[in-house]
Amino acid sequence: MKKDSKSKEKVEEQVEKLAQPIVAANDLELVGVEYKKEGGHWYLRIFIDRDGGVNLEDCQMVSEQIGAKLDEVDPIAGTYILEVSSPGLERPLKRDRDYERFQGHQITVNTYAPYNGIKTFTGTLIGLREGMIVLEQNGEEIKIPRGQAARVHLVAQFD
Protein backbone atom coordinates (compact mmCIF):
# COMPACT_ATOMS: atom_id res chain seq x y z
CA MET A 1 0.00 0.00 0.00
CA LYS A 2 1.48 3.35 -1.04
CA LYS A 3 0.91 6.39 1.12
CA ASP A 4 1.36 9.86 -0.34
CA SER A 5 2.80 12.77 1.61
CA LYS A 6 -0.64 14.29 2.28
CA SER A 7 -1.92 11.13 3.98
CA LYS A 8 1.39 10.84 5.88
CA GLU A 9 1.01 14.43 7.12
CA LYS A 10 -2.63 13.77 8.03
CA VAL A 11 -1.63 10.73 10.11
CA GLU A 12 1.05 12.78 11.88
CA GLU A 13 -1.47 15.55 12.65
CA GLN A 14 -4.10 13.10 13.93
CA VAL A 15 -1.61 11.26 16.11
CA GLU A 16 -0.24 14.55 17.47
CA LYS A 17 -3.76 15.56 18.56
CA LEU A 18 -4.27 12.18 20.26
CA ALA A 19 -0.82 12.12 21.88
CA GLN A 20 -0.64 15.72 23.15
CA PRO A 21 -3.02 15.33 26.14
CA ILE A 22 -1.48 11.98 27.12
CA VAL A 23 2.05 13.38 27.04
CA ALA A 24 1.02 16.55 28.91
CA ALA A 25 -0.80 14.52 31.59
CA ASN A 26 2.53 12.82 32.30
CA ASP A 27 4.32 16.19 32.71
CA LEU A 28 6.21 15.67 29.47
CA GLU A 29 6.57 17.66 26.25
CA LEU A 30 5.56 16.32 22.85
CA VAL A 31 8.49 17.21 20.61
CA GLY A 32 7.18 15.66 17.42
CA VAL A 33 5.48 12.84 15.55
CA GLU A 34 6.97 11.09 12.55
CA TYR A 35 5.28 8.52 10.31
CA LYS A 36 7.54 6.99 7.70
CA LYS A 37 8.34 3.84 5.81
CA GLU A 38 11.71 2.21 6.33
CA GLY A 39 12.79 -1.19 5.05
CA GLY A 40 9.28 -2.20 4.02
CA HIS A 41 7.68 -1.33 7.39
CA TRP A 42 5.78 1.77 8.53
CA TYR A 43 7.02 3.37 11.75
CA LEU A 44 5.08 5.78 13.95
CA ARG A 45 7.63 7.60 16.09
CA ILE A 46 6.62 9.86 18.94
CA PHE A 47 9.33 12.01 20.50
CA ILE A 48 8.95 13.21 24.09
CA ASP A 49 11.13 15.27 26.39
CA ARG A 50 11.25 17.24 29.65
CA ASP A 51 13.79 19.40 31.40
CA GLY A 52 16.45 16.98 32.57
CA GLY A 53 15.51 14.43 29.90
CA VAL A 54 13.34 11.34 29.78
CA ASN A 55 14.09 7.79 30.81
CA LEU A 56 13.05 4.35 29.61
CA GLU A 57 10.14 4.22 32.07
CA ASP A 58 8.74 7.51 30.72
CA CYS A 59 8.89 6.16 27.17
CA GLN A 60 7.32 2.83 28.15
CA MET A 61 4.47 4.49 30.07
CA VAL A 62 3.66 6.89 27.23
CA SER A 63 3.95 4.08 24.66
CA GLU A 64 1.39 1.97 26.54
CA GLN A 65 -1.04 4.87 26.96
CA ILE A 66 -0.75 6.11 23.38
CA GLY A 67 -0.86 2.54 22.04
CA ALA A 68 -4.17 1.95 23.86
CA LYS A 69 -5.59 5.23 22.50
CA LEU A 70 -4.47 4.38 18.95
CA ASP A 71 -6.10 0.95 19.24
CA GLU A 72 -9.33 2.60 20.40
CA VAL A 73 -9.46 5.36 17.77
CA ASP A 74 -7.65 3.44 14.97
CA PRO A 75 -6.58 6.45 12.83
CA ILE A 76 -4.04 4.51 10.76
CA ALA A 77 -4.93 2.03 8.01
CA GLY A 78 -2.60 -0.94 7.91
CA THR A 79 0.11 -2.08 10.27
CA TYR A 80 2.89 -0.01 11.78
CA ILE A 81 5.47 -0.14 14.54
CA LEU A 82 5.02 2.35 17.40
CA GLU A 83 8.18 3.82 18.93
CA VAL A 84 8.28 6.38 21.74
CA SER A 85 11.64 7.93 22.52
CA SER A 86 13.64 10.99 23.41
CA PRO A 87 14.49 13.30 20.51
CA GLY A 88 18.17 12.85 21.41
CA LEU A 89 20.96 15.29 22.09
CA GLU A 90 20.52 16.95 18.71
CA ARG A 91 16.78 17.44 19.10
CA PRO A 92 14.99 19.39 16.37
CA LEU A 93 13.64 22.88 17.01
CA LYS A 94 10.15 23.07 15.56
CA ARG A 95 7.89 25.22 17.70
CA ASP A 96 8.27 28.85 18.71
CA ARG A 97 8.76 27.79 22.33
CA ASP A 98 11.75 25.64 21.29
CA TYR A 99 13.50 28.78 20.02
CA GLU A 100 12.80 30.53 23.33
CA ARG A 101 13.81 27.57 25.49
CA PHE A 102 17.12 26.96 23.73
CA GLN A 103 18.36 30.55 23.38
CA GLY A 104 22.11 30.58 24.01
CA HIS A 105 22.54 26.97 22.82
CA GLN A 106 24.50 25.88 19.75
CA ILE A 107 22.28 25.04 16.77
CA THR A 108 22.65 24.03 13.15
CA VAL A 109 20.28 25.32 10.47
CA ASN A 110 20.11 23.46 7.15
CA THR A 111 18.29 25.33 4.37
CA TYR A 112 16.37 23.91 1.42
CA ALA A 113 18.45 25.93 -1.01
CA PRO A 114 21.57 28.04 -0.53
CA TYR A 115 20.86 31.24 1.39
CA ASN A 116 23.52 33.88 0.74
CA GLY A 117 25.44 31.05 -0.94
CA ILE A 118 25.37 28.76 2.14
CA LYS A 119 23.15 25.77 3.04
CA THR A 120 24.40 24.97 6.57
CA PHE A 121 24.77 27.48 9.40
CA THR A 122 26.04 26.66 12.90
CA GLY A 123 26.11 29.14 15.75
CA THR A 124 24.58 30.28 19.02
CA LEU A 125 20.80 30.69 18.93
CA ILE A 126 19.68 34.23 19.66
CA GLY A 127 16.01 33.51 18.92
CA LEU A 128 13.20 34.19 16.44
CA ARG A 129 12.56 37.69 15.16
CA GLU A 130 9.92 38.61 12.61
CA GLY A 131 9.95 35.18 10.96
CA MET A 132 13.74 34.96 10.98
CA ILE A 133 15.94 32.47 12.84
CA VAL A 134 18.66 34.59 14.41
CA LEU A 135 22.00 33.13 15.46
CA GLU A 136 25.47 34.38 16.19
CA GLN A 137 28.25 32.87 14.13
CA ASN A 138 31.86 34.01 14.61
CA GLY A 139 30.74 37.26 16.25
CA GLU A 140 28.32 38.07 13.44
CA GLU A 141 24.51 38.02 13.67
CA ILE A 142 22.99 35.80 10.97
CA LYS A 143 19.29 35.95 10.05
CA ILE A 144 17.73 33.09 8.10
CA PRO A 145 14.08 33.12 6.97
CA ARG A 146 12.32 30.37 8.93
CA GLY A 147 10.49 29.22 5.80
CA GLN A 148 13.82 28.43 4.15
CA ALA A 149 14.98 26.18 7.00
CA ALA A 150 14.70 22.51 6.10
CA ARG A 151 16.01 21.35 9.49
CA VAL A 152 17.00 23.16 12.66
CA HIS A 153 18.52 21.18 15.53
CA LEU A 154 20.62 21.49 18.65
CA VAL A 155 24.31 20.65 18.41
CA ALA A 156 25.46 18.06 20.94
CA GLN A 157 27.95 19.64 23.34
CA PHE A 158 30.38 17.54 25.33
CA ASP A 159 32.23 19.44 28.04
Side-chain angles (χ1 to χ4, degrees):
M1 175 187 339
K2 186 175 185 208
K3 293 181 174 37
D4 64 17
S5 64
K6 284 196 191 270
S7 65
K8 178 182 151 332
E9 289 171 8
K10 186 176 179 186
V11 165
E12 291 174 350
E13 287 175 18
Q14 288 176 319
V15 171
E16 187 167 331
K17 286 178 185 169
L18 292 172
Q20 182 60 47
I22 293 168
V23 172
N26 288 289
D27 295 321
L28 296 162
E29 172 192 359
L30 180 62
V31 174
V33 174
E34 177 181 271
Y35 183 57
K36 67 193 277 186
K37 191 171 190 175
E38 293 177 0
H41 299 284
W42 282 94
Y43 288 84
L44 176 61
R45 294 189 176 105
I46 298 172
F47 299 99
I48 59 173
D49 205 3
R50 75 157 55 102
D51 287 338
V54 295
N55 59 35
L56 187 59
E57 290 79 21
D58 294 325
C59 294
Q60 182 65 35
M61 176 180 54
V62 170
S63 178
E64 289 170 4
Q65 292 174 12
I66 290 175
K69 189 67 171 178
L70 289 169
D71 288 345
E72 174 189 323
V73 177
D74 198 21
I76 303 172
T79 60
Y80 59 90
I81 298 164
L82 174 63
E83 295 179 351
V84 176
S85 68
S86 159
L89 293 175
E90 295 197 341
R91 76 173 271 172
L93 304 184
K94 295 183 176 188
R95 298 178 173 98
D96 288 356
R97 69 176 180 257
D98 294 337
Y99 290 90
E100 292 172 22
R101 177 178 173 189
F102 294 106
Q103 285 177 347
H105 288 77
Q106 286 289 111
I107 65 165
T108 294
V109 179
N110 299 99
T111 58
Y112 290 109
Y115 181 71
N116 293 336
I118 302 170
K119 284 188 74 173
T120 301
F121 301 83
T122 299
T124 303
L125 176 63
I126 295 172
L128 282 178
R129 279 193 221 137
E130 300 168 3
M132 305 288 268
I133 300 166
V134 184
L135 61 130
E136 182 194 326
Q137 185 180 53
N138 301 323
E140 183 181 341
E141 192 172 279
I142 309 286
K143 296 178 183 175
I144 304 157
R146 192 171 182 184
Q148 290 194 18
R151 182 168 189 258
V152 181
H153 64 89
L154 293 176
V155 174
Q157 301 261 299
F158 301 100
D159 297 325

